[in-house]
């Protein structure tokens, strides 16, 4: 596999302000509020900086002793400024503090003589801050929502899983006020236009990416030894935040069926990476596993450093991504890059990254029987796993960060130079670059 061509930064792009108000790239990934978005912000910033741009990432100061400025790597600064009370807080409770946060960002930029060519805001809370700053700075604002409240509400199973109306209203307003919106796949773009009446010409589609130098095939036996996992057990891996939307309860139900079916041969083991004791969703999961008498078949690992994850992907026979909703689904692509086939829900971005029958399988969400059947197919057929895994590694290369970042930069450049995005959508779609699907 040849590495992707490095791209050259356009002269229009010198300094970018990234807004990631509610969660920092330094947060513990796999906890309740830190996952794909944190990885995305860090990786895009890193790619830009490696090519000579300067990136300042603004986030809320989570503790009194958090330094205002941390250099994450050459060219990338993390700037933590006050936004409401310290400690972990409900995201929605940050809303009243967003305008003072925007003022603090503006003041910090003024004091430090920083000017920006573009603002890239992540998640709706940052969008509100970006909206205030773009007027003061007179620069374009690009918005990545990461998730959409309306799309989440569509698959909510109870009132408590519904997103606040305040968020829906804010997202609708931002869809119109920002200069451009970046969706991760064509379905997300369609959702933006259906639910929020976003102007299609304002929305570009650029998938998220994967670090193909970190996530690449490895030795299963060695990985199992280092993780102290039985060498011959069929192993299903789940990686992610422990959140109802991830469908882990459906996976536990599927595991129950699989244990019955594979009892005489080798019952499978589920390795669960992410979350931790004390998180309410984690405790609910524990009691479900206990009710099914499955505790001895599940290894609860807790959250794992991103750089340590490849070993888990290598140790697994199959990775399950049973989400009800996923705007992109980094975990599926990381597994694919490692050569481990995926069984994923046909939900959101997963339908554009997993090629059914070629690089893994797609099943309906909330269907434990369908999930169990496909997991069974892979767990009991080593040649099938090897074939799909090898194809998955090849397919994942189109999501290598340098490839993705070059498209992000293309969008930045268009916006800075004041071009309409719909023309650039056309150009990129002609090159097959915007769909992210296969
Ligand atoms: N992740 C991690 N450690 C963990 C759990 C998750 O580094 O313990 C990472 C995982 O590798 C992936 C991200 O968190 O890069 C989750 O992204 P995804 O898009 O799958 O889900 P999201 O969190 O955005 O819903």
């Amino acid at each position: 596999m040849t590495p992707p061509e490095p791209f050259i930064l356009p002269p229009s792009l010198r300094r970018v302000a990234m807004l990631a108000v509610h969660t920092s790239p330094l947060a513990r990934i796999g906890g309740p509020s830190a996952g794909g978005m944190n990885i995305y912000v860090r990786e895009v910033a890193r790619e830009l900086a490696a090519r000579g741009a300067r990136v300042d990432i603004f986030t809320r100061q989570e503790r009194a002793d958090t330094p205002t400025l941390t250099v994450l790597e050459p060219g990338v600064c993390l700037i933590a400024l006050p936004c409401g009370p310290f400690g972990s807080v409900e995201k929605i409770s940050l809303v009243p503090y967003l305008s003072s946060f925007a003022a603090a960002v503006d003041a910090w930029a003024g004091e430090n003589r920083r000017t920006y060519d573009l603002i890239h805001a992540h998640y709706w809370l940052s969008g509100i801050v970006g909206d205030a700053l773009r007027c003061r700075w007179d620069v374009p604002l690009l918005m990545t929502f990461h998730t959409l409240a309306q799309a989440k509400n569509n698959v909510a199973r109870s009132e408590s899983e519904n997103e606040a109306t305040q968020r829906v209203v804010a997202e609708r307003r931002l869809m119109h006020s920002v200069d451009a919106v970046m969706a991760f796949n064509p379905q997300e773009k369609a959702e933006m236009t259906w639910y929020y009446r976003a102007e299609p010409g304002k929305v570009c589609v650029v998938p998220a990416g994967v670090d193909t130098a970190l996530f690449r095939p490895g030795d299963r036996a060695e990985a199992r030894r280092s993780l102290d996992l039985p060498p011959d057990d069929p192993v299903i891996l789940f990686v992610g935040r422990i959140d109802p939307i991830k469908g882990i309860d459906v996976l536990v139900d599927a595991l129950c069926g699989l244990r019955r079916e594979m009892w005489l041969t080798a019952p499978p083991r589920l390795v669960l990476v992410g979350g931790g004791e004390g998180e309410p969703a984690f405790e609910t999961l524990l009691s479900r596993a206990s009710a099914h008498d499955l505790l001895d078949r599940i290894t609860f690992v807790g959250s794992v450093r991103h750089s340590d994850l490849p070993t888990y992907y290598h140790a697994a026979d199959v990775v399950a991504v049973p989400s009800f909703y996923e705007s992109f689904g980094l975990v599926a692509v990381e597994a694919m890059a490692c050569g481990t086939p995926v069984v994923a829900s046909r939900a959101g971005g997963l339908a554009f990254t997993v090629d059914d029958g070629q690089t893994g399988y797609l099943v309906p969400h909330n269907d434990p029987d369908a999930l169990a059947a496909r997991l069974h197919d892979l767990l009991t057929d080593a040649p099938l796993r090897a074939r799909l895994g090898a194809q998955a590694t090849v397919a994942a290369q189109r999501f290598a960060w340098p490839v993705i970042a070059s498209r992000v930069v293309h969008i930045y450049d268009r916006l800075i130079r004041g071009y309409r995005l719909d023309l650039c959508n056309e150009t990129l779609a002609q090159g097959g670059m915007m769909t992210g699907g296969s």
Side-chain angles (χ1 to χ4, degrees), residues 259-293:
R259 182 184 51 179
R260 266 196 309 274
E261 206 167 332
M262 299 172 73
W263 185 250
L264 286 177
T265 47
R269 165 163 301 281
L270 171 62
V271 175
L272 229 150
V273 169
E277 280 167 39
E279 286 178 24
F282 188 79
E283 301 302 327
T284 312
L285 179 68
L286 269 184
S287 32
R288 192 176 192 97
S290 160
H292 280 310
D293 197 17

Side-chain angles (χ1 to χ4, degrees), residues 28-40 42 146-147 208-209 215 239-241 243 245-246 273-275 302-309 313 321 323 325-332 334 350:
R28 177 178 66 92
I29 311 289
S33 288
M37 181 184 130
N38 307 62
I39 302 288
Y40 182 95
R42 195 180 71 196
H146 291 269
T147 56
F215 294 100
V239 177
R241 295 176 296 107
D243 181 309
I245 208 147
K246 296 285 178 185
V273 169
S303 66
V304 167
R305 276 217 322 256
H306 197 62
S307 53
D308 294 336
L309 275 177
Y313 290 122
V321 190
S323 311
Y325 167 69
E326 201 72 70
S327 61
F328 181 71
L330 287 176
V331 164
E334 289 163 4
L350 296 168

Side-chain angles (χ1 to χ4, degrees), residues 138-367:
D138 192 26
V139 294
L141 168 60
L142 172 65
M143 179 78 223
T144 301
F145 283 95
H146 291 269
T147 56
L148 297 172
Q150 283 280 30
K152 289 182 86 175
N153 289 351
N154 245 357
V155 292
R157 287 176 279 179
S158 65
E159 194 57 35
S160 65
E161 286 180 21
N162 267 331
E163 292 295 315
T165 308
Q166 191 178 14
R167 175 174 172 188
V168 177
V169 171
E171 287 183 347
R172 184 174 303 128
R173 198 177 52 72
L174 286 166
M175 243 14 118
H176 298 279
S177 63
V178 304
D179 295 285
V181 181
M182 193 175 276
F184 286 137
N185 59 71
Q187 184 181 323
E188 196 183 23
K189 175 172 177 171
E191 285 164 349
M192 289 168 178
T193 54
W194 291 331
Y195 297 140
Y196 297 103
R197 299 263 171 268
E199 188 196 323
K202 247 189 179 183
V203 186
C204 59
V205 180
V206 181
V210 64
D211 181 346
T212 48
L214 177 65
F215 294 100
R216 54 190 181 163
D219 187 74
R220 188 180 84 144
E222 199 181 303
R224 291 218 178 167
R225 262 195 306 277
S226 76
L227 297 177
D228 213 12
L229 285 171
D232 299 318
D233 270 14
V235 170
I236 304 164
L237 174 69
F238 170 91
V239 177
R241 295 176 296 107
I242 310 296
D243 181 309
I245 208 147
K246 296 285 178 185
I248 315 170
D249 51 342
V250 180
L251 179 56
V252 170
D253 291 352
L255 185 67
C256 198
L258 280 170
R259 182 184 51 179
R260 266 196 309 274
E261 206 167 332
M262 299 172 73
W263 185 250
L264 286 177
T265 47
R269 165 163 301 281
L270 171 62
V271 175
L272 229 150
V273 169
E277 280 167 39
E279 286 178 24
F282 188 79
E283 301 302 327
T284 312
L285 179 68
L286 269 184
S287 32
R288 192 176 192 97
S290 160
H292 280 310
D293 197 17
L294 274 173
L295 286 178
D296 64 326
R297 301 310 306 164
I298 305 182
T299 306
F300 294 94
V301 181
S303 66
V304 167
R305 276 217 322 256
H306 197 62
S307 53
D308 294 336
L309 275 177
T311 314
Y312 287 86
Y313 290 122
H314 297 155
D317 293 304
V318 54
V319 171
V321 190
S323 311
F324 280 58
Y325 167 69
E326 201 72 70
S327 61
F328 181 71
L330 287 176
V331 164
V333 182
E334 289 163 4
M336 286 166 56
C338 286
T340 310
V342 174
V343 180
S345 312
R346 195 184 293 280
L350 296 168
F352 295 89
T353 49
V354 178
D355 193 355
D356 191 33
Q358 297 300 316
T359 62
Y361 289 115
L362 291 168
V363 294
H365 76 274
N366 201 15
D367 188 340

